[in-house]
Amino acid sequence: MDDDIKRVVVKVGTNVLTNKDNRILGPVLKELVRQIAVLYERDVMVVLVSSGSAMAGREVIGDTAITDKAIRRQVYSAVGQPRMMRHYYSLFHDYGMRCAQVLATKRDFDPGIHRENMINCYEGLLSEGIIPIANEDDAVSITMSMFSDNDELASLVAELIDADRLIILSDTEGLFTGHPDDEDSIKIKEVTCNQNVEQYVKASGKKEGEGRGGMASKLRIAKGAAKKDIPTYIANGKRANVIVDILDNKEVGTKFIH
């Protein structure tokens, strides 16, 4: 691993954290935390941007009579967020590590006092060796204050803390020239921010379940981060050791560079 890598933002999507029955996968969470602990021992601090709160809340509440989609998401997320943090707190505690929750809306990243407060919060946590776990504040984040998805949140956090790498974990191995399941499809190993690969998005896209993001969003976010000199990766979050392998310069996922 390059010696200059000290700060990494890892975004993990809903499809990585859940199974086909939309239930949170404990083993995936454990593997995710294990890898962050490995990096911690190498003096690399990780900010984890974690989806899954709405699904975790749905596991608790089940079906609801709330018909408004926005309110339903608010309720599921409000219930599921502490449940997700309880999982993470316990898993990090097993490694003698501490974690903290950082919720935000898009307005918090606008220039001004809110942005300064966000910077101070992250810098304070990282200086104490505490793993920030970021997510959108779904309970209050509606319409104009919403991120397009957690990929956007991850890229904004990466810029905020001057991250050395951004890793977007999804349920696909990266960007392909066609659908990942097609025999003729080829994984694109590296993309520059000015390279025209948008033509492949529709063919390679996979339905993202309850998450708001998709491959088009991931491609846009990855290129945007690369333009700001943050090398970015899209990779399969259910692949064993995926984060560590990426930072060890193994050919994993699709890499986006300036």
Side-chain angles (χ1 to χ4, degrees), residues 34-180:
R34 182 196 69 78
Q35 293 179 73
I36 295 173
V38 169
L39 297 180
Y40 187 84
E41 290 298 317
R42 298 184 185 182
D43 294 324
V44 177
M45 289 298 296
V46 173
V47 175
L48 177 62
V49 179
S50 175
S51 301
S53 62
M55 286 299 190
R58 190 171 183 175
E59 280 189 45
V60 175
I61 299 174
D63 293 332
T64 173
I66 300 172
T67 56
D68 186 283
K69 289 184 179 180
I71 297 175
R72 188 166 64 240
R73 180 172 63 84
Q74 286 176 299
V75 170
Y76 279 146
S77 297
V79 172
Q81 197 64 247
R83 187 162 182 254
M84 291 296 294
M85 285 305 300
R86 186 168 67 248
H87 285 312
Y88 282 125
Y89 180 89
S90 176
L91 291 168
F92 278 112
H93 184 267
D94 290 342
Y95 288 95
M97 298 170 65
R98 298 168 295 172
C99 63
Q101 182 179 57
V102 183
L103 299 178
T105 68
K106 195 168 184 177
R107 290 175 297 188
D108 294 320
F109 290 89
D110 291 339
I113 188 65
H114 289 291
R115 182 179 177 86
E116 291 301 317
N117 287 338
M118 289 285 288
I119 292 172
N120 292 339
C121 178
Y122 277 107
E123 291 298 333
L125 291 170
L126 294 171
S127 69
E128 290 293 318
I130 299 170
I131 304 299
I133 300 178
N135 197 6
E136 183 170 11
D137 192 353
D138 288 314
V140 299
S141 181
I142 299 294
T143 60
M144 294 300 291
S145 63
M146 289 175 63
F147 301 100
S148 60
D149 48 47
N150 267 353
D151 299 325
E152 182 181 22
L153 170 58
S155 69
L156 289 171
V157 171
E159 182 181 0
L160 192 78
I161 68 166
D162 294 323
D164 302 302
R165 299 290 187 275
L166 169 60
I167 299 174
I168 299 173
L169 298 179
S170 184
D171 61 346
T172 180
E173 297 289 341
L175 178 64
F176 285 77
T177 57
H179 194 281

Side-chain angles (χ1 to χ4, degrees), residues 234-253:
I234 297 175
N236 189 342
K238 292 182 179 178
R239 182 186 185 277
N241 216 46
V242 58
I243 302 170
V244 176
D245 284 349
I246 285 173
L247 297 182
D248 281 341
N249 296 314
K250 295 184 180 179
E251 287 191 354
V252 179

